[in-house]
Amino acid sequence: FQDEAGSTTRSSCKRCPKGTFSTREGANRCPFCEIGTFSNETGSVSCYSCVPRTYLDVIGMTSQEDCKQCESGLHAPSYGMSECVVCPAGTYNPLTRQSECAKCPEGTYGQKQGAREASECDQCPRWRFTSSPGSTSIDECYYEHQAGAMLRVKLAAALAALTAILVALALTADISWDL
């Protein structure tokens, strides 16, 4: 870059300092690396992004070590994050420097955002359970007999679909079955 007025020779150009970059030859200034990025070399034409699990909330940083770790209950899922994201309901994160949150286990649900421990996931009431990890509401806790009834409905629907397929095959193949 060239920060001296009136200077036109290439030899008077300077390399952009760490924490800045320039993509244009003959620029009169070097912009700072944006939040979520850093430049650890002089003369950089771009900045590097902080890796997932970390973030950077300040401009002009000069090292990967400047990228900060997310605390428990938070995560940074992608490159170049400017802040950590709160773990959503149905999840928790007991560790620092994570790119995702763990789901509340089966038999529990989590209404709270930013949970730090699995113990912050609420237990389903007695005689109820959840069929999938990451449930967020007590409404997802089913009575055991409800789950059995739901399974029977799904099996009946599958059996009806299979019967329809067999009948269609029989009709196209001119096969006669006694059903």
Side-chain angles (χ1 to χ4, degrees):
F1 78 101
Q2 180 55 262
D3 61 352
E4 296 176 20
S7 185
T8 58
T9 64
R10 187 178 182 121
S11 63
S12 63
C13 288
K14 300 176 185 174
R15 294 170 59 91
C16 290
K18 293 179 180 181
T20 67
F21 72 102
S22 180
T23 58
R24 211 169 43 95
E25 193 172 307
N28 61 359
R29 66 179 191 86
C30 298
F32 287 110
C33 292
E34 296 179 7
I35 55 176
T37 66
F38 64 93
S39 169
N40 56 0
E41 303 168 338
T42 60
S44 291
V45 295
S46 64
C47 299
Y48 300 102
S49 294
C50 290
V51 297
R53 303 181 313 273
T54 64
Y55 73 101
L56 192 52
D57 57 356
V58 181
I59 63 170
M61 300 314 292
T62 60
S63 170
Q64 172 73 41
E65 286 77 35
D66 293 327
C67 299
K68 302 172 186 176
Q69 297 181 17
C70 293
E71 298 299 320
S72 60
L74 306 170
H75 68 292
S78 58
Y79 287 91
M81 299 289 295
S82 61
E83 62 185 0
C84 296
V85 179
V86 175
C87 290
T91 66
Y92 65 96
N93 181 14
L95 305 172
T96 59
R97 196 179 169 135
Q98 296 299 304
S99 60
E100 59 186 42
C101 302
K103 293 180 178 181
C104 289
E106 287 186 27
T108 67
Y109 63 97
Q111 295 178 310
K112 178 182 176 184
Q113 293 184 353
R116 296 172 185 229
E117 300 291 334
S119 61
E120 294 181 66
C121 300
D122 299 309
Q123 290 291 321
C124 286
R126 188 174 185 190
W127 309 114
R128 292 184 178 198
F129 72 98
T130 55
S131 59
S132 61
S135 295
T136 59
S137 168
I138 194 169
D139 295 335
E140 296 177 66
C141 296
Y142 299 103
Y143 284 107
E144 288 185 32
H145 73 277
Q146 284 177 315
M150 289 186 334
L151 180 60
R152 284 190 297 277
V153 168
K154 287 181 181 179
L155 287 174
L159 184 58
L162 182 59
T163 302
I165 291 170
L166 290 174
V167 168
L169 286 173
L171 291 174
T172 58
D174 273 344
I175 299 174
S176 174
W177 291 338
D178 291 331
L179 297 177

